[in-house]
Amino acid sequence: FKPWRGLIETYRPYLPVTDATPVITLLEGNTPLIPVPYISQQIGKGVKVLVKFDGLNPTGSFKDRGMTMAISKAKEEGAKAVICASTGNTSASAAAYARRAGMRAFVIIPDGYVAMGKLAQALVYGAEVIAIEGNFDDALKIVRGLSENYPVTLVNSINPYRLEGQKTAAFEVVDTLGNAPDWLCIPVGNAGNISAYWMGFCQYHQQGKCDRLPKMMGFQAAGAAPFILGQPVPHPETIATAIRIGNPANWDKALGVKEASQGEFNRVTDEEILEAYRLLAAQEGIFCEPASATSVAGLLKVKDQVPAEATVVCVLTGNGLKDPDAAINNCNNQVKAGITPDLSVVAKVMGF
Ligand code: F0G
């Protein structure tokens, strides 16, 4: 038995770190690749679907993979403070890793559009949280300007170390499957993660760790689908607040990934997202946040295109506990409340 030492130590030869890099880690990574038999059955044709549940990282999202790298490198470079714009998960992760490294963490969020759990995390980790009356795209513009003019390091996914860390998720998928999957389905917001996965698959392919590359299938929420419309969306709207983004920073990279992998971008409605979200929880026992269910919603939408016998990995980017309001308001289930504390009464309510 070898204890897990975090993704920088595990994948050190593949990452831009040296002996001089202080490794700031919460032992992120090593998340499970879980088979989902009910969803596989919905596709049929002998297709095998698995989910990479990155919501099981230390702060509950895939952002920790990028943040261990970004914060370690910021520390190495002597930074005293970091800053990010965020729909919630980046802010939670930046706050945790920055505080662990003894740095200040400034997070700029769209007021009223960050899920409760994420806001709670940023606050309790000790970030300095600034809510603007604007959306994520406005916040990103501001933090870019601030990081150019003040001594604060930007840790959004335009920081190249973020993608370096996030590419390790692709390594783990290949290490577990023994090869790359045929398809990789992934939610797309700012398009950092899809770019990072592709980097990871290509790097492993060059090293001979896999003999094929996946078709990269990127899915956006219909109300925030700039890649499908082919232009920025000025007022993005979706229940999946994590991907409520109209002007993705990694635009060119993502288009390159689509082309190089012969992949596709598609959009799913909020109702399709919620349907996949409920199905994952109630049929598979896997509770992710709404934005994450976009990958499964997308797969179900294009299921006719999946080749027979294919292996498909859907990325579940964040934990369902991040957004308890979305869960309670959308789960078609409710508490049977106001029951007399009496065994026979409770038995009757149970239907016995
Ligand atoms: N899923 C979740 C749960 C996210 O939080 C994000 C992005 C994405 C998917 C999309 O990933 O931007 O790399 O395409 N969240 C960012 C944030 C924007 O601020 O937490 P992407």
Side-chain angles (χ1 to χ4, degrees), residues 33 171-181 208-212:
L33 188 64
F171 295 169
E172 290 178 13
V173 167
V174 173
D175 286 341
T176 305
L177 292 177
N179 207 341
K209 296 260 190 184
C210 50
D211 63 16
R212 61 182 181 215

Side-chain angles (χ1 to χ4, degrees), residues 220-231:
Q220 300 206 283
F227 283 114
I228 290 84
L229 298 172
Q231 60 187 49

Side-chain angles (χ1 to χ4, degrees), residues 62-63 86-90 188-193 242-243 245 289 317:
F62 71 98
K63 305 288 180 178
S86 184
T87 56
N89 282 323
T90 302
V188 175
N190 219 14
N193 212 26
I243 52 171
I245 294 173
E289 64 172 285
T317 46

Side-chain angles (χ1 to χ4, degrees), residues 60-63 84-92 108-110 118 136 156-157 162-163 166 186-196 219-220 227 241-245 248 250 289-294 315-319 322:
S61 84
F62 71 98
K63 305 288 180 178
C84 65
S86 184
T87 56
N89 282 323
T90 302
S91 66
I108 316 286
I109 58 168
K118 305 175 187 181
F136 172 85
N156 280 103
S157 58
R162 278 278 311 277
L163 301 195
Q166 285 171 216
I186 186 166
V188 175
N190 219 14
N193 212 26
I194 190 169
S195 309
F219 296 103
Q220 300 206 283
F227 283 114
T241 53
I243 52 171
R244 186 173 168 271
I245 294 173
N250 297 292
E289 64 172 285
S292 306
T294 301
V315 181
L316 298 185
T317 46
N319 197 297
K322 294 272 192 178

